Amino acid sequence: CVTGPQGSAAVCVCAAGYEGNGTFCRELDLCSRSNGGCSEFAVCTKVSPGERTCACKKGYTGDGVVCLEIDGCLVNNGGCHTAAECIRTGPNVTACRCQTGFQGSGRFCYPVNPCRTDNGGCSKYALCKYTGQGQRNCTCRRGHVGDGFNCRGTTNNEVYRQSENDLFRKMLFVSKTVVNK
């Protein structure tokens, strides 16, 4: 208790790190209230009455009062292969996916020849040529035009190729017969 000026009553207060009415004081645990003022991504640890420390949880960085999530993809592509995409899945946690034209775990990727499966996505009237590093080139076959993904033949080829052109085929046959007589 602290004595007041002459003629006044003594005032009782709790010492630093304690709380109460001065007559009864109890130890103050800052961590029990709003995580002690630490970040929600930090661990609050009581050091002594009224004192605490804050330390960021695993996957976060900062002083404990401010904790920021670590982006594992920013360092060394998150441990992924150079031909893989790094995907952030949590605080300092990553997953890897091989890029198109590559296969593997993502931590290691190797090129594949896309022409070996479904003509590499090229038109069925195109040639697929593997150019390396999982890449390919699609070129329409002779007698066809297009970008390699959509190839069309000459008008005559297309008339005979598609069943919905029966009427045109009959007309061509009749015109050829009339011309040849």
Side-chain angles (χ1 to χ4, degrees):
C1 290
V2 179
T3 54
Q6 203 163 5
S8 64
V11 177
C12 295
V13 291
C14 296
Y18 293 84
E19 63 183 348
N21 62 12
T23 304
F24 173 77
C25 298
R26 69 173 185 221
E27 217 177 89
L28 180 59
D29 180 4
L30 294 176
C31 294
S32 67
R33 298 177 184 165
S34 300
N35 201 30
C38 301
S39 166
E40 65 179 301
F41 305 113
V43 175
C44 182
T45 305
K46 180 178 148 192
V47 176
S48 62
E51 290 187 38
R52 54 87 175 122
T53 61
C54 303
C56 294
K57 294 178 182 177
K58 183 179 178 185
Y60 294 86
T61 185
D63 63 3
V65 175
V66 175
C67 295
L68 301 173
E69 184 176 322
I70 297 170
D71 183 350
C73 291
L74 296 177
V75 178
N76 195 27
N77 197 30
C80 300
H81 189 266
T82 55
E85 173 188 6
C86 180
I87 303 156
R88 191 170 93 188
T89 58
N92 206 22
V93 180
T94 61
C96 305
R97 180 175 44 229
C98 294
Q99 296 171 357
T100 303
F102 292 83
Q103 288 182 342
S105 66
R107 301 284 176 201
F108 177 78
C109 300
Y110 57 93
V112 293
N113 182 345
C115 295
R116 292 184 177 165
T117 305
D118 193 30
N119 200 31
C122 304
S123 166
K124 65 180 181 177
Y125 304 109
L127 296 173
C128 182
K129 181 178 179 187
Y130 180 58
T131 58
Q133 291 297 306
Q135 301 297 311
R136 49 89 175 97
N137 189 6
C138 300
T139 309
C140 294
R141 295 179 187 269
R142 190 172 189 199
H144 292 81
V145 294
D147 62 4
F149 299 98
N150 185 8
C151 298
R152 294 167 305 287
T154 61
T155 304
N156 199 38
N157 286 348
E158 292 298 315
V159 166
Y160 285 100
R161 182 180 298 145
Q162 299 176 14
S163 62
E164 61 267 14
N165 294 328
D166 283 341
L167 176 64
F168 294 115
R169 282 195 293 274
K170 288 177 185 174
M171 290 172 59
L172 283 171
F173 179 74
V174 169
S175 68
K176 285 181 183 179
T177 308
V178 170
V179 171
N180 289 336
K181 286 188 179 183

